[in-house]
Amino acid sequence: MSPLAAAAGVRALLGIATHALSNRRSPRTCHEAEYKMLEAATNAEQAAYDHPGFNDRFDAAERGVHVSRGIIGQSQNYVSSVATLIAAAVVLARLYPLLLPLLVLAAVPQSIASIRSDRVAYLAAVATHKDRRAKHMLRRHLIAKDQSDQVRTDTLAPYLLKKYEAGAVRVKATSNTATWDRAKIVCVGAAATGLASSLVWGLCPSRRDPP
């Protein structure tokens, strides 16, 4: 068996084992996160429920529990990507030692743009958190069976719908602004990366065979 075939086989077996362990650990991680959240909530003082930021923090913790389901899988993908990059860097360093640091520098603008873009999305999510939570509560009151008679007979429906639409407009405006800002950041980062890559490849000597 050739070394390449053996390496491919080992890689496939490791991939299967990692995937199996990931699927096994994800539910346990989600359970632990949910248990810690509930434990913290039950240990909170009764007066904490009247605090303006308590419900917001609890909702954020609840979303964190749901997000924890994919943390292990995302970590697995991250480790695999890093290993692939390291392997490619080793090969590239042996072929053209000067090319590796130049390519790393060329990728810096796009990396900065990605970080800034994700930050804009995060800040938009934080800014619209209260409106999204209010929309969820209003939607529940509008469609709940227990309040359906009051909503229809006490003319609450137009008022609740108006409040719901006002929150939706604010969320949409903030999301659209964040989307536009992210698009500008990504375009600038892509342009800078393209220019840097062109300079890198322009500076590299043309060779038919690697040394």
Side-chain angles (χ1 to χ4, degrees):
M1 180 181 296
S2 65
L4 290 177
V10 172
R11 181 179 179 182
L13 291 176
L14 289 176
I16 294 172
T18 304
H19 183 71
L21 291 174
S22 174
N23 290 335
R24 183 179 179 181
R25 287 295 304 176
S26 293
R28 295 177 61 182
T29 302
C30 182
H31 170 73
E32 290 294 332
E34 185 175 16
Y35 181 83
K36 292 295 183 182
M37 179 197 68
L38 295 175
E39 185 181 27
T42 54
N43 289 329
E45 297 292 338
Q46 186 69 25
Y49 287 90
D50 299 327
H51 194 276
F54 180 81
N55 291 328
D56 292 339
R57 290 195 295 269
F58 184 80
D59 288 344
E62 216 171 14
R63 287 200 309 275
V65 171
H66 295 298
V67 171
S68 65
R69 295 181 183 273
I71 287 180
I72 294 181
Q74 294 173 0
S75 301
Q76 173 188 344
N77 294 334
Y78 174 77
V79 172
S80 299
S81 300
V82 170
T84 302
L85 287 175
I86 292 175
V90 171
V91 174
L92 189 61
R94 288 181 60 86
L95 296 177
Y96 298 102
L98 183 61
L99 186 58
L100 180 59
L102 293 177
L103 289 177
V104 171
L105 291 176
V108 168
Q110 188 65 42
S111 302
I112 296 176
S114 297
I115 294 174
R116 291 178 61 87
S117 175
D118 290 341
R119 177 175 173 79
V120 169
Y122 171 77
L123 292 177
V126 171
T128 58
H129 173 71
K130 291 184 178 180
D131 283 323
R132 286 185 284 108
R133 188 164 65 87
K135 284 177 55 184
H136 176 74
M137 296 175 62
L138 290 170
R139 182 168 61 250
R140 184 178 60 187
H141 288 303
L142 282 166
I143 65 177
K145 181 180 179 180
D146 296 338
Q147 292 89 25
S148 60
D149 54 344
Q150 298 177 5
V151 170
R152 287 161 175 77
T153 58
D154 295 343
T155 65
L156 286 175
Y159 172 78
L160 295 177
L161 288 172
K162 184 178 179 180
K163 296 288 289 183
Y164 182 90
E165 183 63 21
V169 169
R170 288 191 294 269
V171 171
K172 183 179 179 181
T174 303
S175 300
N176 288 341
T177 301
T179 300
W180 176 243
D181 291 341
R182 294 183 69 187
K184 291 189 293 185
I185 292 172
V186 170
C187 287
V188 172
T193 299
L195 178 61
S197 298
S198 300
L199 293 175
V200 168
W201 291 109
L203 293 174
C204 290
S206 177
R207 300 181 181 180
R208 291 181 176 272
D209 298 318

